[in-house]
Amino acid sequence: MNSVDVRFKKLCDFIDSKNEKELFDHILMQYKFLPKQLQDIHKNYFDKFRFWGQIDLDNNNFEYFTLKAKDIKNGIEDIKWLYDKLEDYSSKRLFVAILDNYINYNVELLASTVDKQNKHYFDLDLIEDCQNEVFVDLGAYVGDTVLDFIQTYGAESYKKIICYEITSSIYQKLINNTMPYKNIDCRLKAVKDKVGHIAIEQNENDISSNKTKVGQDIECVTLDQDVLEPITMLKMDIEGDEPYALKGCREHITNDCPKLMISVYHNNRHLWELPKLINSYNKNYKFYLRNYCGTLYPTEIVLFGIPKNKKQKNKNI
């Protein structure tokens, strides 16, 4: 047992020893121990990006702490499951850093896990090369991920790239930025687990964080229905809709076993629930975690699902 394993066990033992209220009290107290400047940074960040609950102690709003305690306590068995499933030391160390940040606001360990060597989503230790890829990018934004992919693996590395974006003003920039490259199909559609229409919830602070809500603004599709050919690589960063999109591409995950790069930081539970969902569809995946930004708080955390017999799967399709 190495030091990361020991640290993980201590965190799990601590969680097991507390009920939900005791865990809430501990997380709240650790927050109050932070310097006022760090408290304000956290509070303002959660006000800006409302994925994890709000903090407003002056008005007795403890939503953030309530959700953290509930999700961690109820998810402890899945947390242990994921730790055992993670394939390398870097992933396990990052997972421990995230848990320690959630419970104790430890920022030093989290900051030390940020990947400064690779492009976002394209860890060359996990995805060494790409050939003849059919790459689907959910949450393509202005095409930054596609351009990073081409820069990393080359313009001859793919057969086709399909980009999905939900914000019309951003969609035109996506088209303009990807126009110089061949076989890139841009689609102004939301991707979830049902076919129909959906509305866009605008984020006044950051247009890249626009989310979906009930409404009729834009066409909504499932990936299984909208992409009929086999896919070999799938990236998702869709502001909390990742579970729905995964359910809507179950057949692709089951039958094609594409390489997966899934954002798992928009909800506390996504960190352990999304790999469990993927594993229920196809047990042929090895799981890894990487941190591309989070220092004070775990953001831009990506789950990699790498097929165990990748070469064989790609050959078959």
Side-chain angles (χ1 to χ4, degrees), residues 170-192:
I170 294 299
Y171 178 70
Q172 189 56 54
K173 295 179 182 179
L174 169 65
I175 292 175
N176 293 341
N177 288 340
T178 58
M179 192 176 297
Y181 301 96
K182 64 179 183 181
N183 299 332
I184 297 182
D185 179 358
C186 298
R187 304 180 183 183
L188 184 63
K189 299 178 180 180
V191 178
K192 299 190 78 167

Side-chain angles (χ1 to χ4, degrees), residues 239-255:
E239 309 308 307
D241 275 349
E242 290 84 4
Y244 307 107
L246 284 170
K247 291 174 184 177
C249 67
R250 178 173 183 163
E251 295 303 316
H252 278 300
I253 293 173
T254 301
N255 298 326

